[in-house]
Amino acid sequence: GHGPDPTVPSPQSAGAGAAAAPMQMQMQMFQRMLDDSLGALRAGLHEEIQNLHLELLRQFHLQSQETAEMVEELYSRQDVLMEEVKQLRKLHVQQYHHLH
């Protein structure tokens, strides 16, 4: 004696399955909608993060350029001041010898 074939649904479970089918379809539809929404959200976030990253790089590049220009300007001013110091030393030495 073998028991009932488990692949053949009994009349009771067939009725329950019929009632559960629309619910399962609703769940699958909801799951698809959720997946689509999350996919769109993920794509949107990815794009926003990428744009933010590009903006940070752009600002960093601008600041680097500005810093380089400032350093260049400071060096040129320093050269002018060094030249002026040289001239003043010469003048000082000349006046010192002239007075002594």
Side-chain angles (χ1 to χ4, degrees):
H2 293 298
D5 187 346
T7 58
V8 178
S10 67
Q12 291 89 3
S13 67
M23 183 65 149
Q24 188 164 1
M25 278 176 55
Q26 277 186 326
M27 288 297 288
Q28 285 174 349
M29 207 167 80
F30 177 73
Q31 185 69 48
R32 268 197 296 273
M33 283 171 47
L34 191 61
D35 289 346
D36 290 348
S37 296
L38 287 174
L41 182 66
R42 188 179 292 120
L45 281 173
H46 179 75
E47 189 178 344
E48 283 187 44
I49 289 169
Q50 209 170 24
N51 288 341
L52 184 63
H53 192 203
L54 287 172
E55 180 60 20
L56 284 171
L57 287 172
R58 189 184 71 81
Q59 287 184 14
F60 176 75
H61 182 69
L62 283 175
Q63 283 183 340
S64 298
Q65 281 181 315
E66 287 173 12
T67 303
E69 287 169 14
M70 283 171 54
V71 167
E72 200 60 40
E73 191 179 334
L74 286 172
Y75 278 143
S76 67
R77 285 183 187 181
Q78 188 180 14
D79 288 346
V80 169
L81 289 173
M82 290 301 285
E83 191 56 41
E84 201 173 319
V85 167
K86 246 191 241 175
Q87 296 303 321
L88 287 171
R89 278 188 182 144
K90 258 189 215 172
L91 190 63
H92 177 75
V93 168
Q94 288 170 1
Q95 288 178 346
Y96 181 81
H97 287 310
H98 187 73
L99 292 174
H100 290 80

